[in-house]
mmCIF file of all heavy atoms in Angstrom:
data_model
loop_
_atom_site.group_PDB
_atom_site.id
_atom_site.type_symbol
_atom_site.label_atom_id
_atom_site.label_comp_id
_atom_site.label_asym_id
_atom_site.label_seq_id
_atom_site.Cartn_x
_atom_site.Cartn_y
_atom_site.Cartn_z
ATOM 1 N N GLU A 1 20.920 10.227 40.984
ATOM 2 C CA GLU A 1 21.729 9.427 40.051
ATOM 3 C C GLU A 1 21.908 10.198 38.721
ATOM 4 O O GLU A 1 21.175 10.020 37.751
ATOM 5 C CB GLU A 1 21.105 7.988 39.751
ATOM 6 C CG GLU A 1 20.994 7.187 40.967
ATOM 7 C CD GLU A 1 20.339 5.863 40.673
ATOM 8 O OE1 GLU A 1 20.881 5.144 39.716
ATOM 9 O OE2 GLU A 1 19.261 5.562 41.250
ATOM 10 N N PRO A 2 22.825 11.094 38.621
ATOM 11 C CA PRO A 2 23.031 11.922 37.324
ATOM 12 C C PRO A 2 23.202 11.146 36.079
ATOM 13 O O PRO A 2 22.824 11.713 35.066
ATOM 14 C CB PRO A 2 24.238 12.725 37.684
ATOM 15 C CG PRO A 2 24.361 12.764 39.212
ATOM 16 C CD PRO A 2 23.869 11.407 39.617
ATOM 17 N N GLY A 3 23.720 10.003 36.114
ATOM 18 C CA GLY A 3 23.919 9.239 34.969
ATOM 19 C C GLY A 3 22.797 8.315 34.462
ATOM 20 O O GLY A 3 22.842 7.740 33.525
ATOM 21 N N LYS A 4 21.646 8.396 35.282
ATOM 22 C CA LYS A 4 20.472 7.527 34.957
ATOM 23 C C LYS A 4 19.738 8.310 33.788
ATOM 24 O O LYS A 4 19.496 9.396 33.771
ATOM 25 C CB LYS A 4 19.649 7.443 36.086
ATOM 26 C CG LYS A 4 18.500 6.543 35.991
ATOM 27 C CD LYS A 4 17.603 6.226 37.163
ATOM 28 C CE LYS A 4 16.534 5.264 36.977
ATOM 29 N NZ LYS A 4 15.677 5.129 38.162
ATOM 30 N N LYS A 5 19.461 7.393 32.825
ATOM 31 C CA LYS A 5 18.887 7.882 31.595
ATOM 32 C C LYS A 5 17.322 8.086 31.735
ATOM 33 O O LYS A 5 16.501 7.247 31.477
ATOM 34 C CB LYS A 5 19.174 6.940 30.352
ATOM 35 C CG LYS A 5 20.575 6.971 29.961
ATOM 36 C CD LYS A 5 20.831 6.027 28.794
ATOM 37 C CE LYS A 5 20.879 4.563 29.279
ATOM 38 N NZ LYS A 5 22.071 4.384 30.192
ATOM 39 N N ARG A 6 17.078 9.372 32.195
ATOM 40 C CA ARG A 6 15.603 9.731 32.442
ATOM 41 C C ARG A 6 15.527 11.235 32.208
ATOM 42 O O ARG A 6 16.551 11.992 32.238
ATOM 43 C CB ARG A 6 15.079 9.420 33.802
ATOM 44 C CG ARG A 6 15.947 10.011 34.986
ATOM 45 C CD ARG A 6 15.427 9.472 36.336
ATOM 46 N NE ARG A 6 16.174 9.885 37.416
ATOM 47 C CZ ARG A 6 15.997 11.145 38.119
ATOM 48 N NH1 ARG A 6 15.086 11.906 37.691
ATOM 49 N NH2 ARG A 6 16.806 11.546 39.070
ATOM 50 N N GLY A 7 14.378 11.585 31.839
ATOM 51 C CA GLY A 7 14.058 13.153 31.571
ATOM 52 C C GLY A 7 14.864 13.543 30.349
ATOM 53 O O GLY A 7 14.904 12.941 29.286
ATOM 54 N N GLY A 8 15.539 14.684 30.473
ATOM 55 C CA GLY A 8 16.263 15.332 29.293
ATOM 56 C C GLY A 8 17.365 14.427 28.896
ATOM 57 O O GLY A 8 17.765 14.302 27.732
ATOM 58 N N LEU A 9 18.113 13.732 29.856
ATOM 59 C CA LEU A 9 19.225 12.832 29.452
ATOM 60 C C LEU A 9 18.742 11.740 28.546
ATOM 61 O O LEU A 9 19.436 11.229 27.717
ATOM 62 C CB LEU A 9 19.955 12.238 30.714
ATOM 63 C CG LEU A 9 21.184 11.452 30.491
ATOM 64 C CD1 LEU A 9 22.240 12.179 29.734
ATOM 65 C CD2 LEU A 9 21.815 10.956 31.735
ATOM 66 N N TRP A 10 17.561 11.210 28.858
ATOM 67 C CA TRP A 10 17.017 10.162 28.053
ATOM 68 C C TRP A 10 16.918 10.605 26.573
ATOM 69 O O TRP A 10 17.347 9.964 25.633
ATOM 70 C CB TRP A 10 15.659 9.734 28.491
ATOM 71 C CG TRP A 10 15.106 8.551 27.809
ATOM 72 C CD1 TRP A 10 15.262 7.167 28.085
ATOM 73 C CD2 TRP A 10 14.219 8.487 26.624
ATOM 74 N NE1 TRP A 10 14.631 6.409 27.234
ATOM 75 C CE2 TRP A 10 13.917 7.118 26.313
ATOM 76 C CE3 TRP A 10 13.679 9.564 25.888
ATOM 77 C CZ2 TRP A 10 13.143 6.787 25.273
ATOM 78 C CZ3 TRP A 10 12.853 9.174 24.848
ATOM 79 C CH2 TRP A 10 12.634 7.998 24.636
ATOM 80 N N TRP A 11 16.367 11.825 26.384
ATOM 81 C CA TRP A 11 16.257 12.422 25.041
ATOM 82 C C TRP A 11 17.581 12.603 24.360
ATOM 83 O O TRP A 11 17.855 12.449 23.346
ATOM 84 C CB TRP A 11 15.340 13.731 25.145
ATOM 85 C CG TRP A 11 13.944 13.390 25.238
ATOM 86 C CD1 TRP A 11 13.154 13.546 26.365
ATOM 87 C CD2 TRP A 11 13.102 12.827 24.224
ATOM 88 N NE1 TRP A 11 11.880 13.114 26.135
ATOM 89 C CE2 TRP A 11 11.768 12.830 24.908
ATOM 90 C CE3 TRP A 11 13.212 12.528 22.878
ATOM 91 C CZ2 TRP A 11 10.720 12.316 24.121
ATOM 92 C CZ3 TRP A 11 12.076 12.081 22.111
ATOM 93 C CH2 TRP A 11 10.829 11.995 22.827
ATOM 94 N N THR A 12 18.515 13.131 25.177
ATOM 95 C CA THR A 12 19.882 13.427 24.700
ATOM 96 C C THR A 12 20.546 12.118 24.200
ATOM 97 O O THR A 12 21.082 12.013 23.213
ATOM 98 C CB THR A 12 20.756 14.036 25.848
ATOM 99 O OG1 THR A 12 20.241 15.287 26.136
ATOM 100 C CG2 THR A 12 22.232 14.319 25.194
ATOM 101 N N TYR A 13 20.353 11.011 24.939
ATOM 102 C CA TYR A 13 20.933 9.807 24.544
ATOM 103 C C TYR A 13 20.310 9.252 23.416
ATOM 104 O O TYR A 13 20.987 8.679 22.503
ATOM 105 C CB TYR A 13 20.793 8.778 25.694
ATOM 106 C CG TYR A 13 21.662 7.611 25.585
ATOM 107 C CD1 TYR A 13 23.027 7.561 26.163
ATOM 108 C CD2 TYR A 13 21.284 6.447 24.941
ATOM 109 C CE1 TYR A 13 23.906 6.454 26.029
ATOM 110 C CE2 TYR A 13 22.054 5.450 24.865
ATOM 111 C CZ TYR A 13 23.369 5.288 25.374
ATOM 112 O OH TYR A 13 24.201 4.172 25.315
ATOM 113 N N LEU A 14 18.961 9.344 23.421
ATOM 114 C CA LEU A 14 18.236 8.781 22.197
ATOM 115 C C LEU A 14 18.601 9.457 20.852
ATOM 116 O O LEU A 14 18.898 8.959 19.859
ATOM 117 C CB LEU A 14 16.733 8.881 22.392
ATOM 118 C CG LEU A 14 15.866 8.376 21.295
ATOM 119 C CD1 LEU A 14 16.082 6.870 21.096
ATOM 120 C CD2 LEU A 14 14.395 8.594 21.528
ATOM 121 N N LEU A 15 18.623 10.902 20.978
ATOM 122 C CA LEU A 15 18.967 11.737 19.813
ATOM 123 C C LEU A 15 20.431 11.342 19.404
ATOM 124 O O LEU A 15 20.675 11.472 18.227
ATOM 125 C CB LEU A 15 18.824 13.181 20.156
ATOM 126 C CG LEU A 15 17.285 13.540 20.152
ATOM 127 C CD1 LEU A 15 17.197 15.055 20.668
ATOM 128 C CD2 LEU A 15 16.491 13.391 19.001
ATOM 129 N N SER A 16 21.326 11.165 20.370
ATOM 130 C CA SER A 16 22.695 10.872 20.020
ATOM 131 C C SER A 16 22.779 9.549 19.214
ATOM 132 O O SER A 16 23.599 9.440 18.304
ATOM 133 C CB SER A 16 23.602 10.742 21.179
ATOM 134 O OG SER A 16 23.348 9.586 21.884
ATOM 135 N N LEU A 17 21.916 8.549 19.477
ATOM 136 C CA LEU A 17 21.912 7.309 18.737
ATOM 137 C C LEU A 17 21.393 7.553 17.342
ATOM 138 O O LEU A 17 21.995 7.014 16.333
ATOM 139 C CB LEU A 17 21.057 6.278 19.446
ATOM 140 C CG LEU A 17 21.434 5.780 20.810
ATOM 141 C CD1 LEU A 17 20.440 4.935 21.485
ATOM 142 C CD2 LEU A 17 22.830 5.134 20.729
ATOM 143 N N VAL A 18 20.409 8.296 17.186
ATOM 144 C CA VAL A 18 19.826 8.536 15.896
ATOM 145 C C VAL A 18 20.885 9.441 15.008
ATOM 146 O O VAL A 18 20.991 9.076 13.835
ATOM 147 C CB VAL A 18 18.429 9.366 16.003
ATOM 148 C CG1 VAL A 18 17.997 9.885 14.583
ATOM 149 C CG2 VAL A 18 17.372 8.611 16.769
ATOM 150 N N PHE A 19 21.549 10.279 15.717
ATOM 151 C CA PHE A 19 22.488 11.133 14.976
ATOM 152 C C PHE A 19 23.729 10.242 14.522
ATOM 153 O O PHE A 19 24.105 10.396 13.387
ATOM 154 C CB PHE A 19 22.979 12.282 15.836
ATOM 155 C CG PHE A 19 24.024 13.198 15.225
ATOM 156 C CD1 PHE A 19 23.561 14.149 14.337
ATOM 157 C CD2 PHE A 19 25.380 12.969 15.317
ATOM 158 C CE1 PHE A 19 24.410 15.107 13.677
ATOM 159 C CE2 PHE A 19 26.246 13.868 14.636
ATOM 160 C CZ PHE A 19 25.817 14.871 13.915
ATOM 161 N N LYS A 20 24.146 9.348 15.334
ATOM 162 C CA LYS A 20 25.290 8.528 15.021
ATOM 163 C C LYS A 20 24.865 7.556 13.862
ATOM 164 O O LYS A 20 25.756 7.435 12.814
ATOM 165 C CB LYS A 20 25.719 7.664 16.144
ATOM 166 C CG LYS A 20 26.400 8.459 17.311
ATOM 167 C CD LYS A 20 26.949 7.626 18.244
ATOM 168 C CE LYS A 20 25.897 6.939 19.201
ATOM 169 N NZ LYS A 20 26.405 6.336 20.487
ATOM 170 N N ALA A 21 23.734 7.071 13.791
ATOM 171 C CA ALA A 21 23.220 6.196 12.793
ATOM 172 C C ALA A 21 23.089 7.034 11.493
ATOM 173 O O ALA A 21 23.525 6.518 10.390
ATOM 174 C CB ALA A 21 21.982 5.534 13.087
ATOM 175 N N ALA A 22 22.497 8.157 11.540
ATOM 176 C CA ALA A 22 22.354 9.059 10.375
ATOM 177 C C ALA A 22 23.805 9.435 9.746
ATOM 178 O O ALA A 22 23.903 9.427 8.553
ATOM 179 C CB ALA A 22 21.596 10.373 10.786
ATOM 180 N N VAL A 23 24.719 9.737 10.638
ATOM 181 C CA VAL A 23 26.049 10.068 10.072
ATOM 182 C C VAL A 23 26.640 8.960 9.370
ATOM 183 O O VAL A 23 27.146 9.090 8.247
ATOM 184 C CB VAL A 23 27.008 10.505 11.291
ATOM 185 C CG1 VAL A 23 28.433 10.544 10.709
ATOM 186 C CG2 VAL A 23 26.564 11.932 11.767
ATOM 187 N N ASP A 24 26.505 7.724 9.862
ATOM 188 C CA ASP A 24 27.235 6.653 9.213
ATOM 189 C C ASP A 24 26.456 6.288 7.863
ATOM 190 O O ASP A 24 27.063 6.039 6.908
ATOM 191 C CB ASP A 24 27.077 5.321 10.118
ATOM 192 C CG ASP A 24 28.195 5.342 11.191
ATOM 193 O OD1 ASP A 24 29.288 5.921 10.838
ATOM 194 O OD2 ASP A 24 28.035 4.724 12.171
ATOM 195 N N VAL A 25 25.100 6.446 7.852
ATOM 196 C CA VAL A 25 24.392 6.194 6.675
ATOM 197 C C VAL A 25 24.732 7.178 5.556
ATOM 198 O O VAL A 25 24.903 6.928 4.409
ATOM 199 C CB VAL A 25 22.817 6.209 6.888
ATOM 200 C CG1 VAL A 25 22.027 6.175 5.655
ATOM 201 C CG2 VAL A 25 22.412 5.046 7.771
ATOM 202 N N VAL A 26 24.861 8.539 5.939
ATOM 203 C CA VAL A 26 25.240 9.577 4.974
ATOM 204 C C VAL A 26 26.583 9.333 4.395
ATOM 205 O O VAL A 26 26.771 9.451 3.237
ATOM 206 C CB VAL A 26 25.168 11.002 5.653
ATOM 207 C CG1 VAL A 26 25.907 11.996 4.853
ATOM 208 C CG2 VAL A 26 23.699 11.323 6.031
ATOM 209 N N PHE A 27 27.589 8.943 5.281
ATOM 210 C CA PHE A 27 28.989 8.638 4.803
ATOM 211 C C PHE A 27 28.949 7.397 3.885
ATOM 212 O O PHE A 27 29.717 7.296 2.938
ATOM 213 C CB PHE A 27 29.831 8.532 5.933
ATOM 214 C CG PHE A 27 30.398 9.937 6.252
ATOM 215 C CD1 PHE A 27 29.749 10.680 7.218
ATOM 216 C CD2 PHE A 27 31.584 10.450 5.651
ATOM 217 C CE1 PHE A 27 30.224 11.854 7.539
ATOM 218 C CE2 PHE A 27 32.116 11.608 6.036
ATOM 219 C CZ PHE A 27 31.464 12.297 7.094
ATOM 220 N N LEU A 28 28.076 6.450 4.138
ATOM 221 C CA LEU A 28 27.968 5.249 3.287
ATOM 222 C C LEU A 28 27.498 5.613 1.832
ATOM 223 O O LEU A 28 27.994 5.132 0.800
ATOM 224 C CB LEU A 28 27.094 4.240 3.847
ATOM 225 C CG LEU A 28 27.606 3.340 5.077
ATOM 226 C CD1 LEU A 28 26.501 2.404 5.576
ATOM 227 C CD2 LEU A 28 28.678 2.552 4.595
ATOM 228 N N TYR A 29 26.544 6.498 1.855
ATOM 229 C CA TYR A 29 26.038 7.082 0.569
ATOM 230 C C TYR A 29 27.147 7.809 -0.149
ATOM 231 O O TYR A 29 27.329 7.755 -1.385
ATOM 232 C CB TYR A 29 24.748 7.877 0.828
ATOM 233 C CG TYR A 29 24.248 8.590 -0.387
ATOM 234 C CD1 TYR A 29 23.608 7.849 -1.370
ATOM 235 C CD2 TYR A 29 24.417 9.907 -0.653
ATOM 236 C CE1 TYR A 29 23.086 8.395 -2.536
ATOM 237 C CE2 TYR A 29 23.879 10.526 -1.686
ATOM 238 C CZ TYR A 29 23.257 9.737 -2.650
ATOM 239 O OH TYR A 29 22.788 10.398 -3.817
ATOM 240 N N ILE A 30 27.835 8.737 0.596
ATOM 241 C CA ILE A 30 28.884 9.519 -0.114
ATOM 242 C C ILE A 30 29.962 8.647 -0.688
ATOM 243 O O ILE A 30 30.327 8.865 -1.816
ATOM 244 C CB ILE A 30 29.565 10.448 0.985
ATOM 245 C CG1 ILE A 30 28.486 11.587 1.392
ATOM 246 C CG2 ILE A 30 30.750 11.131 0.401
ATOM 247 C CD1 ILE A 30 28.914 12.426 2.577
ATOM 248 N N PHE A 31 30.383 7.661 0.010
ATOM 249 C CA PHE A 31 31.392 6.642 -0.511
ATOM 250 C C PHE A 31 30.862 5.939 -1.704
ATOM 251 O O PHE A 31 31.544 5.764 -2.663
ATOM 252 C CB PHE A 31 31.742 5.672 0.578
ATOM 253 C CG PHE A 31 32.927 6.116 1.409
ATOM 254 C CD1 PHE A 31 32.631 6.529 2.750
ATOM 255 C CD2 PHE A 31 34.234 6.166 0.976
ATOM 256 C CE1 PHE A 31 33.746 6.954 3.601
ATOM 257 C CE2 PHE A 31 35.297 6.595 1.850
ATOM 258 C CZ PHE A 31 35.066 6.916 3.119
ATOM 259 N N TYR A 32 29.555 5.565 -1.706
ATOM 260 C CA TYR A 32 28.960 4.890 -2.763
ATOM 261 C C TYR A 32 28.964 5.762 -4.064
ATOM 262 O O TYR A 32 29.144 5.387 -5.111
ATOM 263 C CB TYR A 32 27.566 4.320 -2.403
ATOM 264 C CG TYR A 32 27.052 3.594 -3.522
ATOM 265 C CD1 TYR A 32 27.293 2.213 -3.783
ATOM 266 C CD2 TYR A 32 26.015 4.113 -4.475
ATOM 267 C CE1 TYR A 32 26.810 1.497 -4.821
ATOM 268 C CE2 TYR A 32 25.463 3.424 -5.444
ATOM 269 C CZ TYR A 32 25.822 2.021 -5.609
ATOM 270 O OH TYR A 32 25.330 1.352 -6.673
ATOM 271 N N ARG A 33 28.586 7.068 -3.835
ATOM 272 C CA ARG A 33 28.481 8.068 -4.977
ATOM 273 C C ARG A 33 29.866 8.298 -5.566
ATOM 274 O O ARG A 33 30.085 8.365 -6.783
ATOM 275 C CB ARG A 33 27.868 9.290 -4.559
ATOM 276 C CG ARG A 33 26.391 9.129 -4.299
ATOM 277 C CD ARG A 33 25.677 8.923 -5.688
ATOM 278 N NE ARG A 33 25.872 9.979 -6.650
ATOM 279 C CZ ARG A 33 25.217 10.979 -6.812
ATOM 280 N NH1 ARG A 33 24.143 11.197 -6.134
ATOM 281 N NH2 ARG A 33 25.413 11.898 -7.772
ATOM 282 N N PHE A 34 30.917 8.528 -4.716
ATOM 283 C CA PHE A 34 32.207 8.912 -5.253
ATOM 284 C C PHE A 34 33.003 7.650 -5.759
ATOM 285 O O PHE A 34 33.562 7.697 -6.729
ATOM 286 C CB PHE A 34 33.099 9.462 -4.124
ATOM 287 C CG PHE A 34 32.694 10.871 -3.788
ATOM 288 C CD1 PHE A 34 33.112 11.495 -2.612
ATOM 289 C CD2 PHE A 34 31.835 11.671 -4.687
ATOM 290 C CE1 PHE A 34 32.737 12.825 -2.427
ATOM 291 C CE2 PHE A 34 31.506 12.932 -4.429
ATOM 292 C CZ PHE A 34 31.957 13.547 -3.204
ATOM 293 N N TYR A 35 32.802 6.463 -5.068
ATOM 294 C CA TYR A 35 33.511 5.294 -5.402
ATOM 295 C C TYR A 35 32.433 4.056 -5.630
ATOM 296 O O TYR A 35 32.195 3.405 -4.645
ATOM 297 C CB TYR A 35 34.561 4.871 -4.356
ATOM 298 C CG TYR A 35 35.488 6.091 -4.141
ATOM 299 C CD1 TYR A 35 35.351 6.745 -2.926
ATOM 300 C CD2 TYR A 35 36.468 6.510 -4.961
ATOM 301 C CE1 TYR A 35 36.070 7.804 -2.622
ATOM 302 C CE2 TYR A 35 37.178 7.534 -4.654
ATOM 303 C CZ TYR A 35 37.076 8.323 -3.469
ATOM 304 O OH TYR A 35 37.915 9.311 -3.261
#
């Protein structure tokens, strides 16, 4: 089951979630500083 989240794919998926949340937080801060 290539799409099952286990092994390396589990880590890829988890890191993608952390990265997405971090990007949104950084841009919220940028908007707050500029405007």
Side-chain angles (χ1 to χ4, degrees):
E1 298 180 53
K4 188 175 182 180
K5 289 178 285 295
R6 57 186 176 87
L9 183 59
W10 186 90
W11 284 104
T12 299
Y13 195 89
L14 181 64
L15 291 176
S16 73
L17 295 175
V18 175
F19 182 82
K20 288 187 290 189
V23 167
D24 279 336
V25 170
V26 168
F27 274 88
L28 285 174
Y29 176 74
I30 292 173
F31 272 105
Y32 183 80
R33 284 296 302 270
F34 285 164
Y35 307 104

